[in-house]
Amino acid sequence: DVKVTQSSRYLVKRTGEKVFLECVQDMDHENMFWYRQDPGLGLRLIYFSYDVKMKEKGDIPEGYSVSREKKERFSLILESASTNQTSMYLCASSSFHRDRTSLYGYTFGSGTRLTVV
Amino acid sequence: DQQVKQNSPSLSVQEGRISILNCDYTNSMFDYFLWYKKYPAEGPTFLISISSIKDKNEDGRFTVFLNKSAKHLSLHIVPSQPGDSAVYFCAGRGGATNKLIFGTGTLLAVQP
């Protein structure tokens, strides 16, 4: 069973802390994405990556950075956590090639519920 | 600029009846449209998709309709079941970039 694994389901961090959210996929997918989900705002793209050591800004990159040192791992970094970064964070991966299970779509992880206090 | 819009934040239907979830888009370059289903505290899971060259795709109880001239797609669930209660997101795929643009989601509640 193919998987996208996010290291933590729930996290509570203090304002100003540096926070690392880890994501690993075992499908040899080229593309990886970080989204956040907030009520009424849907899924908003933070950063994405099409290859190792490559990254591109999404729609809301401010306050975040990413790292992709290996194909299977994509990390989201909150340099100095703030209360407005309290959210559900979702990692996803996809292939450039037609995938029989999701047809160019994404496979998502289970999400990390981050609370910044 | 909201390229994909789901104007109904929530929908309530009776078990056994039809659920119709709607989605509008503005980007004519989308080549695929996808629907995802999300339960609380879980990641979204792929439900069904449709190519921009088709107008209908069916998979069991789920059918997606695409009206390109109106830039509108809809997801029909027949018959609706309590286990279908979830948030449904539609998404458009931006061509070769493989990037998905999601709508804001519709919370479906199926009443027993």
Side-chain angles (χ1 to χ4, degrees):
Chain A
D1 193 19
V2 294
K3 272 191 174 177
V4 176
T5 303
Q6 293 184 231
S7 54
S8 304
R9 294 297 301 270
Y10 300 94
L11 274 179
V12 180
K13 296 291 181 181
R14 295 194 181 276
T15 301
E17 276 194 78
K18 190 169 186 175
V19 181
F20 293 85
L21 302 183
E22 305 289 344
C23 176
V24 178
Q25 52 97 0
D26 64 1
M27 296 164 283
D28 201 34
H29 281 171
E30 301 89 357
N31 313 314
M32 296 188 75
F33 307 84
W34 275 106
Y35 285 84
R36 62 179 282 178
Q37 183 197 0
D38 300 288
L41 298 176
L43 301 176
R44 293 183 293 166
L45 182 62
I46 305 171
Y47 266 97
F48 60 103
S49 170
Y50 290 141
D51 201 353
V52 176
K53 296 194 185 293
M54 173 273 173
K55 60 187 178 184
E56 286 196 32
K57 293 179 180 179
D59 300 319
I60 50 164
E62 296 79 18
Y64 303 94
S65 63
V66 290
S67 173
R68 193 166 182 199
E69 296 296 319
K70 295 184 177 181
K71 189 176 185 179
E72 67 270 19
R73 186 179 297 270
F74 193 35
S75 303
L76 179 69
I77 303 155
L78 286 66
E79 297 291 341
S80 177
S82 64
T83 55
N84 63 12
Q85 292 178 310
T86 291
S87 185
M88 166 71 89
Y89 289 87
L90 293 159
C91 175
S93 71
S94 73
S95 174
F96 280 121
H97 307 290
R98 185 181 175 91
D99 180 285
R100 65 180 176 82
T101 59
S102 65
L103 300 173
Y104 300 115
Y106 294 177
T107 300
F108 282 90
S110 298
T112 296
R113 171 68 66 183
L114 173 68
T115 302
V116 182
V117 297
Chain B
D1 176 27
Q2 192 74 27
Q3 297 184 53
V4 180
K5 299 178 184 178
Q6 294 176 257
N7 292 317
S8 297
S10 63
L11 175 68
S12 182
V13 300
Q14 288 296 120
E15 182 177 5
R17 306 293 290 270
I18 184 171
S19 295
I20 300 175
L21 295 93
N22 294 304
C23 182
D24 297 297
Y25 64 95
T26 57
N27 188 340
S28 300
M29 301 304 293
F30 287 145
D31 62 349
Y32 267 88
F33 299 90
L34 303 93
W35 284 93
Y36 284 80
K37 175 180 178 180
K38 186 183 184 298
Y39 294 117
E42 293 184 16
T45 55
F46 170 73
L47 191 58
I48 191 169
S49 66
I50 188 168
S51 165
S52 60
I53 62 172
K54 302 275 181 76
D55 54 19
K56 178 182 175 181
N57 187 28
E58 194 171 351
D59 183 2
R61 297 187 296 115
F62 303 92
T63 303
V64 57
F65 296 92
L66 176 62
N67 182 333
K68 283 188 72 176
S69 61
K71 291 190 172 68
H72 177 83
L73 65 156
S74 60
L75 174 68
H76 293 209
I77 306 173
V78 183
S80 301
Q81 299 173 354
D84 296 328
S85 297
V87 177
Y88 289 79
F89 292 99
C90 69
R93 177 179 179 258
T97 67
N98 201 239
K99 193 169 71 169
L100 295 182
I101 308 297
F102 287 87
T104 51
T106 297
L107 175 62
L108 173 65
V110 180
Q111 310 296 335

